[in-house]
Amino acid sequence: MQAQPQRRGRKRRGLDTPASRRKADYRQLRNPFPVMSVFSDDEAAGMHETALRMLEELGMKVLLPEARRLYAAAGARVEGEMVFIGREIVEAALATAPRSILCRAGDPSRNLTLELGALAFQPGAGAPHATDLKRGRRPASARDFTEFTRLSHHFDVLQMMSPSVEPQDVPTNLRHYFTMLCQMENTDKFPFIFARGTPQTHDTFEMLRIARGLSEAEFAAGVHAYTIINTNSPRCLDIPMAQGLIDFARGGQMSIVTPFTLMGAMAPITVAGAITLSHAECLAAITLTQIAKPGAPVCYGTFTSNVDMKSGAPAFGTSSHFQASLAAGQMARMLGLPWRSAAGSASNINDVQAANENQLGLWGCLLAGATVIIHSAGWLEGGLSVSYEKLVTDVEVLNMVAELCAGAKAGPDQIGFADALSQVAPTGHFFAAPHTMERYTTEFYQPMVHDYANFGTWTERGALDASCRATAVWEAILSADPQPFTPPDRLETLRAFIDKRSAQGGAPPES
Amino acid sequence: MQAQPQRRGRKRRGLDTPASRRKADYRQLRNPFPVMSVFSDDEAAGMHETALRMLEELGMKVLLPEARRLYAAAGARVEGEMVFIGREIVEAALATAPRSILCRAGDPSRNLTLELGALAFQPGAGAPHATDLKRGRRPASARDFTEFTRLSHHFDVLQMMSPSVEPQDVPTNLRHYFTMLCQMENTDKFPFIFARGTPQTHDTFEMLRIARGLSEAEFAAGVHAYTIINTNSPRCLDIPMAQGLIDFARGGQMSIVTPFTLMGAMAPITVAGAITLSHAECLAAITLTQIAKPGAPVCYGTFTSNVDMKSGAPAFGTSSHFQASLAAGQMARMLGLPWRSAAGSASNINDVQAANENQLGLWGCLLAGATVIIHSAGWLEGGLSVSYEKLVTDVEVLNMVAELCAGAKAGPDQIGFADALSQVAPTGHFFAAPHTMERYTTEFYQPMVHDYANFGTWTERGALDASCRATAVWEAILSADPQPFTPPDRLETLRAFIDKRSAQGGAPPES
């Protein structure tokens, strides 16, 4: 087809360029899907009431003395390691937690505003193993972490970085230097930091401050990084997690609080019971951030699925997981806070089960109105591995969701009575209609791994399934020359900082 | 775990049995998902207006003289094969089309009421090829049709039968006897009939009347079967399709009108333009049913996706397909009629692409509020094959959607403050809590093909992907003894009817 008529048509009608008509902005998404509730408002209110009662009567076990002191100073009753938190303390904390959080990336075009109605995706996170069809499943390495950082950077639809895999070949006292440097070298997206004790947290804050070229005051005045805080369900907040809540709050950086609960195991077997427990723990953690520093950036969160009651094994992408996301969304909306949910798969390879689980979990999050959807691409084995191929095939789905975020129009130009409908005779075709010629290069999403060839052509090309084709996609991305994202002089300063701190012994994780 | 505490718990609290607490009724579903619109109400009204204008000014080409006479008798202007239908004719037809249709199955427990808000699934339909991992891809045969009939019967979540594949080894003048007898032998679900000319239609109506043991008047008074009517887009109604609309309307049986349109090929490239065309054709076809017999059972329908503009190949499960379903839902709700949409996949095998496309298309239909979702399981290659394994893996997803239709409760019993939340110490587990013991056999959906084993166990078991495991599922279903669904005396009468009609030469399809 010729591009010529297209250009003329555009001029004649003064339309936008074809590109701007279709192109979705994958960097800042708003959730276009209607919000779904699984419980009545009264039922949701009953869960919130029960969670407040739990914090008052059953209490949280808090292992960090400093955190217990903070709770006590705010009026909570402390008995040994148990902290009993009155609802007035929780309510005061909820009043100061921000409803909207501006997350600053290395490039301002990648800044994110997290609030109800916004939508951000993060790839699979925290796995001990990496897997791909070329090299097989293995303990994750620094190379894997670097490659996942580059792949996650490549796809605009993954707006937030994740701690994809554990680089197990890097000593734990130095690992945080490696993961922060790797992010500063390979991406300008909003970065992730593990909360593994104050020394590591302060090291990484310092590195990020250097990389962004900020004074200490400037750094503390903006949200430049985030961490994920898991509780030890049921009802326990351990030392590094409590310390992380305090350190990130005081440093002005964001905590995403996420009780990880499996219904029937570390949580009640029902969606209602599990989300009530998760909600109580979340309230306790959010409260600690606001006691540490009122107004500290914090997201509500949940990750609740069920176990297989025959084997006790975790399951993901189930109808129970879906309902748990919906229930958590109801609680988050009651609080008015931005919040995270999660997709994911229990499958051992990137197969039909992996695809179906991840997408079912994804729709649960989308209809729940989740602000941040974690593990939305690449996560296998319930988090024990991240797959290069699954990252690609899941991003194909996320891209199409991002296209849906862009919406569509049905004005006279789009309906096309004059340019299309009245131009084609019965049983004719629209390939050459002016309406088509104007739009054919831009109207539809072009897939990167989905293949529309017919059976014969596909067979001639080697009969490769989507997962096999995905290998070529990630290989092509990684074969490109890495782009520098932090100026050389700052990288030099960063490396000098790392050398100095390494010579001092680094900072082992705390537990 | 012991079942004993469970039973005691139930008696104590007077709860339902655990089975009834969770078990979803897969036979009659209501759509629990919020309805989503892609266009504003004004835009949708503009599309409807444009469709009415198309029928008045551009007209439909109608190849069947009897249909043209009917349109003319209702006041339409006929010029040669072109029929120009005034909006008052369309509006009169829409006034008599039923909003709710009771579809009668062989077993009343499988009856369906099709209306806005109801939800029914139909497996992949109309493919020339069958494929499975044991026997490969081949032209479909009578054996394949029989096996798909048995498999479709097996899964409660497939409430309607489909013409799964063409049994190409059965002569076309006798094929309708085979497909109807096969359905009467192997299922008591709501059956499908192809509209391939009046002689075949009357033959199959007669067979269904015999099988159900009904008088002619009783048969005509109820909806006992359905057909799918495709237009020849753009703007043409061919002979067998027009004849089918008339014959099914007069026989009191249901037509589901479905313009099958690909944006950029036989329809405008935009969602707005394509659905406006589809809507106009649908209005013309619905109008013909109501002229033929006011009150005749008819469903609105659409199947609109896009082509790949690089190759012209059809694509399914795309963001454009999703938006087209949403747009069609807006039009159907404007009319108030039950309606069908479709999932589907362009993939050549049951792989990650096939799973992701089918599920994305499915969510488009679910959020569009479709009453009947066709091709919801098994459909590959854009309809050129139906896969045994994909039928199984897609049904796994449909089962979980059916579980979501059942909803969940969050009353005090489900929240479980007394029985669960206050029973477990911090960092403990809920496996043995009374609340868990009461529910562990029934709380969660048990998958048939999804596997939650860990990597080591899964590897020891042969490292089979979900599609390979699905082979064992369909083999087990087919290895069971077939159950008879029609009394032997009626089957004998049916066979005698077929013998007589076959000796007379059968009834070739009309075109």
Side-chain angles (χ1 to χ4, degrees):
Chain A
M1 295 184 187
Q2 301 282 322
Q4 203 52 31
Q6 184 182 347
R7 234 172 263 131
R8 263 185 283 135
R10 253 155 50 210
K11 277 192 188 148
R12 198 172 61 232
R13 278 172 213 81
L15 299 176
D16 292 340
T17 64
S20 70
R21 265 207 303 274
R22 186 194 67 84
K23 193 163 187 286
D25 177 2
Y26 290 6
R27 295 192 181 191
Q28 277 90 23
L29 301 180
R30 301 290 298 180
N31 187 331
F33 303 104
V35 159
M36 179 174 178
S37 293
V38 61
F39 299 132
S40 71
D41 289 349
D42 283 351
E43 287 176 320
M47 291 165 63
H48 180 63
E49 274 302 305
T50 305
L52 292 174
R53 182 180 171 197
M54 286 176 64
L55 294 178
E56 287 177 326
E57 297 180 16
L58 305 179
M60 281 286 286
K61 187 174 184 176
V62 177
L63 303 186
L64 181 75
E66 182 186 3
R68 293 198 297 269
R69 282 195 297 273
L70 284 169
Y71 279 120
R77 177 165 56 92
V78 176
E79 295 178 9
E81 293 182 316
M82 294 302 297
V83 176
F84 301 87
I85 310 167
R87 65 184 59 207
E88 69 289 351
I89 305 170
V90 174
E91 280 156 13
L94 292 174
T96 60
R99 269 57 185 160
S100 181
I101 302 168
L102 174 61
C103 302
R104 297 171 193 274
D107 181 325
S109 75
R110 296 195 185 276
N111 286 354
L112 297 171
T113 299
L114 298 185
E115 58 191 13
L116 289 177
L119 178 60
F121 298 109
Q122 187 235 49
H129 297 90
T131 186
D132 66 66
L133 294 179
K134 278 293 180 74
R135 297 168 291 187
R137 180 179 185 271
R138 69 269 179 185
S141 67
R143 177 174 175 175
D144 293 319
F145 186 92
T146 305
E147 290 180 348
F148 277 126
T149 301
R150 292 185 58 203
L151 292 172
S152 300
H153 176 79
H154 177 83
F155 298 114
D156 266 5
V157 83
L158 302 172
Q159 296 89 357
M160 299 169 69
M161 297 308 295
S162 87
S164 52
V165 290
E166 277 300 319
Q168 297 195 44
D169 52 349
V170 181
T172 55
N173 60 320
L174 307 176
R175 198 174 286 173
H176 60 296
Y177 305 125
F178 167 76
T179 54
M180 178 52 77
L181 181 64
C182 183
Q183 292 182 86
M184 295 303 101
E185 286 177 329
N186 292 292
T187 183
D188 54 7
K189 293 187 184 179
F190 185 55
F192 175 87
I193 295 174
F194 266 120
R196 289 173 171 164
T198 301
Q200 285 201 2
T201 298
H202 286 174
D203 275 347
T204 41
F205 284 1
E206 179 65 11
M207 287 178 68
L208 187 51
R209 192 186 66 72
I210 294 167
R212 298 292 191 243
L214 300 172
S215 70
E216 288 188 14
E218 285 168 339
F219 180 77
V223 179
H224 299 279
Y226 77 106
T227 194
I228 301 279
I229 298 293
N230 300 126
T231 50
N232 275 14
S233 301
R235 290 191 290 120
C236 179
L237 194 55
D238 69 19
I239 287 173
M241 294 291 95
Q243 192 69 63
L245 288 167
I246 295 168
D247 291 341
F248 275 69
R250 288 181 176 158
Q253 307 307 306
M254 184 169 77
S255 290
I256 300 185
V257 178
T258 309
F260 173 65
T261 52
L262 289 167
M263 294 176 247
M266 65 277 251
I269 193 168
T270 56
V271 171
I275 293 299
T276 300
L277 172 64
S278 170
H279 185 61
E281 295 175 0
C282 217
L283 291 176
I286 290 170
T287 297
L288 182 57
T289 65
Q290 301 304 305
I291 296 172
K293 185 178 170 192
V298 62
C299 282
Y300 185 86
T302 189
F303 190 5
T304 297
S305 191
N306 59 290
V307 294
D308 173 13
M309 290 307 285
K310 282 195 290 197
S311 64
F316 297 95
T318 64
S319 38
S320 297
H321 178 186
F322 193 113
Q323 290 177 326
S325 294
L326 298 184
Q330 291 188 254
M331 309 313 285
R333 287 193 294 284
M334 198 184 296
L335 307 183
L337 300 184
W339 71 289
R340 72 143 254 181
S341 192
S345 167
S347 185
N348 288 290
I349 42 165
N350 187 30
D351 66 351
V352 165
Q353 174 180 345
N356 275 333
E357 288 180 333
N358 214 81
Q359 198 179 148
L360 199 85
L362 177 68
W363 283 105
C365 298
L366 290 169
L367 295 178
T371 319
V372 176
I373 303 180
I374 287 186
H375 308 316
S376 59
W379 209 67
L380 282 179
E381 299 179 52
L384 295 182
S385 68
V386 176
S387 154
Y388 284 65
E389 285 82 16
K390 185 161 173 57
L391 187 78
V392 171
T393 56
D394 286 341
V395 163
E396 187 89 286
V397 174
L398 298 181
N399 280 350
M400 290 198 278
V401 169
E403 293 287 335
L404 291 172
C405 293
K409 295 276 174 214
D413 281 343
Q414 289 81 28
I415 294 175
F417 183 85
D419 277 3
L421 293 166
S422 65
Q423 296 275 321
V424 178
T427 72
H429 67 76
F430 290 78
F431 281 117
H435 192 255
T436 307
M437 295 300 285
E438 278 177 15
R439 292 167 171 84
Y440 76 94
T441 58
T442 55
E443 190 69 15
F444 306 130
Y445 169 71
Q446 288 289 341
M448 57 182 173
V449 67
H450 285 192
D451 181 3
Y452 304 137
N454 65 32
F455 191 84
T457 305
W458 173 79
T459 303
E460 280 165 24
R461 289 178 186 161
L464 297 178
D465 71 20
S467 199
C468 291
R469 296 194 305 270
T471 303
V473 174
W474 66 256
E475 285 184 322
I477 296 165
L478 294 181
S479 72
D481 287 334
Q483 194 187 333
F485 287 99
T486 297
D489 57 324
R490 292 186 195 162
L491 282 179
E492 205 173 307
T493 311
L494 274 180
R495 292 200 183 99
F497 173 84
I498 293 172
D499 289 345
K500 184 189 74 181
R501 292 288 295 124
S502 298
Q504 292 166 343
E510 300 194 344
S511 61
Chain B
M1 296 186 190
Q2 301 282 323
Q4 203 53 29
Q6 183 181 349
R7 232 173 262 134
R8 263 186 281 134
R10 254 153 50 210
K11 276 190 188 148
R12 199 171 59 231
R13 278 171 214 81
L15 300 176
D16 293 339
T17 67
S20 71
R21 266 207 302 273
R22 186 194 68 86
K23 193 166 187 283
D25 177 4
Y26 290 6
R27 296 192 180 193
Q28 278 89 24
L29 301 181
R30 302 291 297 181
N31 188 330
F33 303 102
V35 160
M36 179 175 177
S37 294
V38 60
F39 299 131
S40 71
D41 289 349
D42 283 353
E43 287 176 318
M47 291 166 63
H48 180 63
E49 274 302 305
T50 306
L52 292 174
R53 181 181 172 196
M54 286 176 64
L55 294 178
E56 287 177 326
E57 297 179 18
L58 306 178
M60 282 286 286
K61 187 173 184 178
V62 178
L63 302 186
L64 182 74
E66 182 187 3
R68 293 198 297 271
R69 283 194 297 274
L70 284 169
Y71 279 119
R77 177 165 56 92
V78 176
E79 294 178 9
E81 293 181 316
M82 293 302 296
V83 176
F84 302 86
I85 310 167
R87 66 183 60 206
E88 69 289 352
I89 305 171
V90 174
E91 280 156 12
L94 292 174
T96 61
R99 269 57 183 160
S100 181
I101 302 169
L102 174 60
C103 302
R104 297 171 194 274
D107 181 323
S109 75
R110 295 193 185 278
N111 287 353
L112 297 171
T113 299
L114 298 186
E115 60 192 10
L116 290 177
L119 178 61
F121 297 109
Q122 188 235 49
H129 298 90
T131 188
D132 66 66
L133 294 179
K134 278 293 180 75
R135 295 168 292 189
R137 181 179 185 269
R138 68 271 179 184
S141 67
R143 178 173 174 175
D144 293 319
F145 187 92
T146 305
E147 290 179 348
F148 277 126
T149 302
R150 293 185 57 204
L151 291 172
S152 300
H153 176 79
H154 177 82
F155 298 114
D156 266 7
V157 83
L158 302 172
Q159 297 87 356
M160 302 170 69
M161 296 307 295
S162 87
S164 52
V165 290
E166 278 298 320
Q168 298 196 45
D169 51 351
V170 181
T172 55
N173 60 320
L174 307 177
R175 197 173 286 172
H176 60 297
Y177 303 126
F178 167 76
T179 55
M180 178 52 78
L181 181 63
C182 183
Q183 290 181 88
M184 295 303 102
E185 286 177 330
N186 292 293
T187 182
D188 55 6
K189 292 186 184 178
F190 186 55
F192 176 88
I193 294 175
F194 265 122
R196 288 173 172 166
T198 301
Q200 284 201 3
T201 298
H202 286 173
D203 275 348
T204 42
F205 284 1
E206 179 65 9
M207 286 178 69
L208 187 50
R209 191 185 67 71
I210 293 167
R212 298 293 191 240
L214 300 172
S215 70
E216 288 187 14
E218 285 168 340
F219 180 77
V223 179
H224 300 280
Y226 77 105
T227 194
I228 301 278
I229 298 292
N230 298 126
T231 50
N232 274 15
S233 301
R235 291 191 290 120
C236 179
L237 195 53
D238 70 18
I239 288 174
M241 294 291 96
Q243 192 69 64
L245 288 167
I246 296 168
D247 291 342
F248 274 70
R250 288 180 175 157
Q253 306 309 304
M254 184 169 78
S255 290
I256 300 185
V257 179
T258 309
F260 173 66
T261 53
L262 290 168
M263 295 177 247
M266 64 277 249
I269 194 167
T270 56
V271 172
I275 293 297
T276 299
L277 172 65
S278 171
H279 185 61
E281 295 175 359
C282 218
L283 291 176
I286 290 171
T287 296
L288 182 57
T289 65
Q290 301 303 307
I291 297 171
K293 185 178 169 193
V298 63
C299 282
Y300 184 87
T302 190
F303 191 4
T304 297
S305 190
N306 59 291
V307 294
D308 173 15
M309 291 308 285
K310 282 194 289 197
S311 64
F316 297 96
T318 64
S319 40
S320 297
H321 178 186
F322 192 113
Q323 290 177 325
S325 293
L326 297 183
Q330 291 187 255
M331 309 313 284
R333 287 194 295 282
M334 198 184 297
L335 307 183
L337 300 184
W339 71 289
R340 72 145 252 179
S341 192
S345 168
S347 184
N348 288 292
I349 43 164
N350 187 31
D351 65 351
V352 166
Q353 174 181 346
N356 275 333
E357 288 181 332
N358 214 81
Q359 198 179 147
L360 198 86
L362 177 69
W363 283 106
C365 297
L366 291 170
L367 295 179
T371 320
V372 176
I373 302 180
I374 287 187
H375 308 317
S376 60
W379 209 68
L380 282 179
E381 297 179 54
L384 296 183
S385 67
V386 175
S387 154
Y388 285 65
E389 284 82 16
K390 186 164 172 54
L391 187 78
V392 171
T393 56
D394 286 341
V395 164
E396 187 89 287
V397 174
L398 298 181
N399 281 349
M400 290 197 280
V401 169
E403 294 287 334
L404 291 172
C405 293
K409 295 277 174 216
D413 281 342
Q414 288 81 28
I415 295 174
F417 183 84
D419 277 4
L421 293 167
S422 63
Q423 296 275 320
V424 177
T427 72
H429 68 77
F430 290 77
F431 281 117
H435 192 254
T436 307
M437 295 301 285
E438 280 177 12
R439 293 168 170 83
Y440 75 94
T441 58
T442 55
E443 191 67 17
F444 306 130
Y445 169 71
Q446 287 289 340
M448 57 182 174
V449 68
H450 285 193
D451 182 1
Y452 304 137
N454 65 31
F455 190 82
T457 305
W458 172 79
T459 303
E460 280 165 24
R461 289 177 186 161
L464 297 177
D465 71 20
S467 201
C468 292
R469 295 195 305 269
T471 304
V473 174
W474 66 256
E475 284 183 324
I477 296 166
L478 294 180
S479 71
D481 288 333
Q483 193 188 335
F485 287 100
T486 297
D489 57 323
R490 291 183 195 164
L491 281 178
E492 203 174 308
T493 311
L494 273 180
R495 293 199 182 98
F497 173 84
I498 293 172
D499 289 346
K500 185 189 76 181
R501 292 287 296 124
S502 299
Q504 293 165 345
E510 299 192 345
S511 62

